[in-house]
Amino acid sequence: MKKSILFLLIFVCIGVLPNLLRIHLPGELGDLQYMESIAYSALLMIFWLAVCKKLWVAMTTALAFISWWVVEVYLRLQFRTGVNASFVGMVRETNPSEILSFVTTYGVTLVLPWLLSVVVFAWLVVFSYKKKWEWSHRSRAWVLLGFSLLGGALYWTFAQQEPDDLAAAPDEFSVRPMSFWVEKWADIYPTNAIFALWKDREYRKLMYALKGRLNDHQFEIKKSASPDPDLVVLIIGESSRRDRWSLFGHSRLTTPNLEKRPNIYIFKDMVTVSTATRTSVPEMITQHPIQRPDGVISKAPEPSIVSVFKQAGYKTYWLSNQSSSGFYDSPIALYASEADQRYFPNPSSFASRGSLDEVLLPAFDNIIKQSGKRFLVIHTMGSHFNYAYRYPAAFERFKPALHPDRVFLATDPSQKKEANNAYDNSILYTDYFLDQVFQRMESLSGKAVALFLSDHGEDIFESGCVSTGVTRTSRYSYEVPAFMWVNSPYLRNSPDYIAWIKSLENRKLMTQDVYPMILKAAGIDVVGQEYPLFDNRVERMVYGQNRWVDFDKELEKDACVIGRR
């Protein structure tokens, strides 16, 4: 009897342990959510034992989720997140050679413990079968009845809190939200994997449907003999504000490598059209995105610059340290799907620690070794909140800074200094990452060009503004760093383009100008397309406070809230 109870406790603890490792947010709400996850997982395991009656049957059926138990624990320890749609998307986008590389790299820390856990659990199944332990006490009936009633009551309670329009998707890139009750289980092991698979499947279906609206479009392309580079790279940063780069005048030395690197041509006055990644990135890479920042749907959407380069004879790639699906990621992943090859190595989302941007470098190394003409987009995690997640300990130069193992609330002004220091550290790491990319490109014998810009900036408890914390309303959320870099062969052979790029240094630019800039860098012209960059732009229209406004006029009125009514 004592042994059977011990095995029962082991079974329950297996389900509870991953939830003990989840992020524990501060405050009463954080305590409640943490205790809920532990209680729900324990009750689920006990309920399943009651349903199966025989301990060996419960353990045998549990082998399905035990198979990813070690993965769940590893993700929660390493990345502060469990199995989610981002992880499923990463696995789905991974090819066999990358899986082999992963197993080789993480064999000791992940694969071997996984094999050991399956073997041990299989032994427990066999042992409990031989002992013929089963739950025959009348308490089993009470558990089945009590849990059924409790589950029904909780479902009804959560249903009463749901708004009437919950079932409606917010926009073109959204799937139908889950109910409040179901959402409770989406981050609790072992049910989280089920919902992760469901979410990933729903977003894939959505993207396939939207992609059908782009597939039939063909660009009429003209190519000139010059510059005609072999390698063209578009690097998209994340949440990086221009005034925090010493390359653009910040008092702290946050970009030491870039400042020493020759052949960089900076653009001193570029602003983003939107402070939301899911709408700002499409505005950079296509002339007619499916959905604009104000939610208006295009009647004639076009594919992105990826398809332009593909039709011009380039092999295309998309390397991203962000997710391949989700409410915030699908509007970008849709255009990433146009690439010949895609690489999404981050098992987490922006909300958790995730992998560092340098995880993209091995794939980049493989691409530049290949022959032929190549175009690739590198989408980084950059300086996305929480900033302490975006750089390794060796880059913690500005102190005191946020700690990656401690929860930081974006509305907590007591950590203003730590947040700003961590942000500058993330810029320092971005400087390192970009320098690594350019080092590799400089070694090429053929012509190579790269353009970097950020999707938007960030407000971090702005001095002189009534700020509620980390937000995106002031000028600093719109003013982004941007520059062009070329290698030596490109510099020697493309003097006319270099002269043109230099002429843009002090121009009032927008992130939408990246599209014609990168095409011109490759000597590609799309017939029928017109660009404000080549005309005398009268105004820079950005989306702020739910309306379109002229950025420069708004800057004169109120730099703290662009678009304030």
Side-chain angles (χ1 to χ4, degrees), residues 387-409:
Y387 317 126
Y389 294 161
R390 309 308 170 206
Y391 57 88
F395 285 81
E396 191 174 305
R397 178 177 300 177
F398 307 110
K399 302 177 181 180
L402 300 175
H403 195 283
D405 293 327
R406 296 177 193 150
V407 175
F408 167 59
L409 297 180

Side-chain angles (χ1 to χ4, degrees), residues 8-216:
L8 185 149
L9 290 174
I10 291 173
F11 180 77
V12 173
C13 287
I14 286 172
V16 170
L17 179 60
N19 298 295
L20 289 171
L21 301 175
R22 68 177 283 149
I23 295 177
H24 188 167
L25 297 174
E28 293 183 2
L29 181 60
D31 293 340
L32 177 62
Q33 291 174 338
Y34 185 74
M35 295 307 297
E36 270 186 341
S37 68
I38 296 172
Y40 280 25
S41 60
L43 290 173
L44 178 64
M45 301 299 282
I46 294 171
F47 180 72
W48 187 244
L49 278 171
V51 169
C52 295
K53 188 178 180 179
K54 295 180 180 180
L55 183 58
W56 74 268
V57 174
M59 287 193 166
T60 301
T61 54
L63 272 171
F65 63 81
I66 289 299
S67 63
W68 78 82
W69 185 83
V70 171
V71 175
E72 183 78 23
V73 172
Y74 175 80
L75 289 174
R76 291 191 183 269
L77 286 173
Q78 186 71 16
F79 300 108
R80 304 295 296 274
T81 184
V83 172
N84 54 26
S86 298
F87 177 79
V88 173
M90 180 202 74
V91 174
R92 175 171 44 78
E93 293 283 351
T94 303
N95 60 46
S97 64
E98 290 164 350
I99 293 175
L100 180 61
S101 175
F102 178 84
V103 172
T104 303
T105 304
Y106 296 101
V108 176
T109 59
L110 186 58
V111 179
L112 291 181
W114 175 78
L115 289 173
L116 180 63
S117 68
V118 171
V119 170
V120 170
F121 199 79
W123 177 83
L124 293 174
V125 170
V126 173
F127 189 83
S128 60
Y129 174 77
K130 289 181 177 179
K131 292 294 182 179
K132 300 188 183 303
W133 286 325
E134 64 177 58
W135 194 342
S136 56
H137 191 268
R138 62 177 178 272
S139 59
R140 173 174 171 267
W142 285 110
V143 167
L144 289 171
L145 177 62
F147 282 20
S148 298
L149 293 174
L150 177 63
L154 287 172
Y155 176 83
W156 181 86
T157 301
F158 282 109
Q160 301 308 303
Q161 302 173 21
E162 294 174 0
D164 294 335
D165 60 349
L166 178 68
D171 60 23
E172 287 284 294
F173 289 96
S174 305
V175 299
R176 178 176 55 84
M178 295 184 291
S179 69
F180 287 178
W181 169 243
V182 172
E183 193 70 51
K184 280 286 180 183
W185 295 93
D187 193 37
I188 295 175
Y189 177 83
T191 53
N192 58 331
I194 298 171
F195 295 113
L197 288 166
W198 176 82
K199 275 188 175 181
D200 181 71
R201 176 177 173 272
E202 290 298 303
Y203 275 109
R204 273 191 296 141
K205 286 166 54 180
L206 176 69
M207 282 198 290
Y208 287 146
L210 291 172
K211 193 174 180 181
R213 297 166 60 180
L214 303 175
N215 284 342
D216 296 334

Side-chain angles (χ1 to χ4, degrees), residues 229-532:
D230 296 318
L231 178 64
V232 181
V233 183
L234 173 60
I235 309 171
I236 303 173
E238 171 66 56
S239 302
S240 195
R241 48 189 278 178
R242 186 169 65 230
D243 72 316
R244 302 299 275 272
W245 288 51
S246 53
L247 183 67
F248 289 88
H250 187 33
S251 58
R252 281 178 165 178
L253 187 60
T254 54
T255 53
N257 292 302
L258 294 177
E259 289 171 55
K260 291 183 292 186
R261 181 162 287 282
N263 307 344
I264 282 184
Y265 306 96
I266 65 173
F267 309 118
K268 295 181 178 180
D269 191 4
M270 180 176 282
V271 298
T272 182
V273 69
S274 168
T275 59
T277 303
R278 70 192 302 267
T279 51
S280 66
V281 172
E283 292 282 337
M284 299 175 192
I285 60 177
T286 177
Q287 288 291 281
H288 299 285
I290 287 180
Q291 180 173 290
R292 303 226 51 210
D294 57 4
V296 172
I297 306 302
S298 174
K299 294 180 180 178
E302 291 183 1
S304 75
I305 197 170
V306 176
S307 290
V308 175
F309 272 90
K310 185 185 293 188
Q311 291 181 32
Y314 281 73
K315 184 74 177 291
T316 55
Y317 306 84
W318 190 290
L319 311 182
S320 176
N321 197 27
Q322 303 209 15
S323 300
S324 62
S325 66
F327 176 78
Y328 297 100
D329 303 287
S330 291
I332 302 164
L334 169 68
Y335 298 105
S337 68
E338 298 173 22
D340 295 313
Q341 292 185 21
R342 299 168 298 280
Y343 184 52
F344 289 85
N346 195 339
S348 180
S349 70
F350 64 85
S352 301
R353 183 181 297 171
S355 54
L356 298 171
D357 286 333
E358 62 195 65
V359 74
L360 302 175
L361 291 176
F364 183 71
D365 289 335
N366 291 332
I367 293 169
I368 63 175
K369 290 175 185 176
Q370 298 176 22
S371 59
K373 296 193 176 298
R374 292 139 292 162
F375 170 76
L376 67 146
V377 177
I378 299 178
H379 192 190
T380 69
M381 192 61 81
S383 300
H384 199 294
F385 180 87
N386 181 341
Y387 317 126
Y389 294 161
R390 309 308 170 206
Y391 57 88
F395 285 81
E396 191 174 305
R397 178 177 300 177
F398 307 110
K399 302 177 181 180
L402 300 175
H403 195 283
D405 293 327
R406 296 177 193 150
V407 175
F408 167 59
L409 297 180
T411 55
D412 182 6
S414 68
Q415 296 191 68
K416 174 180 177 179
K417 183 175 182 179
E418 289 82 354
N420 277 278
N421 284 336
Y423 186 84
D424 282 351
N425 290 331
S426 72
I427 302 295
L428 187 69
Y429 178 71
T430 295
D431 169 75
Y432 159 79
F433 172 77
L434 293 174
D435 190 61
Q436 291 296 305
V437 171
F438 300 152
Q439 279 186 31
R440 288 157 168 80
M441 294 176 67
E442 182 61 54
S443 65
L444 300 176
S445 57
K447 290 183 284 187
V449 57
L451 194 153
F452 170 86
L453 78 164
S454 182
D455 57 352
H456 57 75
E458 194 107 303
D459 298 349
I460 313 171
F461 303 99
E462 293 308 314
S463 299
C465 296
V466 180
S467 176
T468 56
V470 177
T471 58
R472 296 180 203 153
T473 60
S474 82
R475 65 181 299 174
Y476 303 113
S477 290
Y478 288 87
E479 296 173 336
V480 297
F483 61 85
M484 186 81 77
W485 176 86
V486 300
N487 70 350
S488 298
Y490 191 103
L491 181 67
R492 288 194 302 268
N493 294 285
S494 308
D496 291 342
Y497 181 76
I498 297 300
W500 180 72
I501 281 296
K502 287 181 177 179
S503 73
L504 300 179
E505 179 180 0
N506 295 302
R507 282 271 300 273
K508 291 183 179 296
L509 303 173
M510 297 192 69
T511 49
Q512 294 158 318
D513 295 329
V514 166
Y515 186 94
M517 287 168 68
I518 205 84
L519 289 180
K520 186 164 178 138
I524 297 173
D525 180 45
V526 180
V527 177
Q529 288 189 347
E530 298 180 355
Y531 315 111

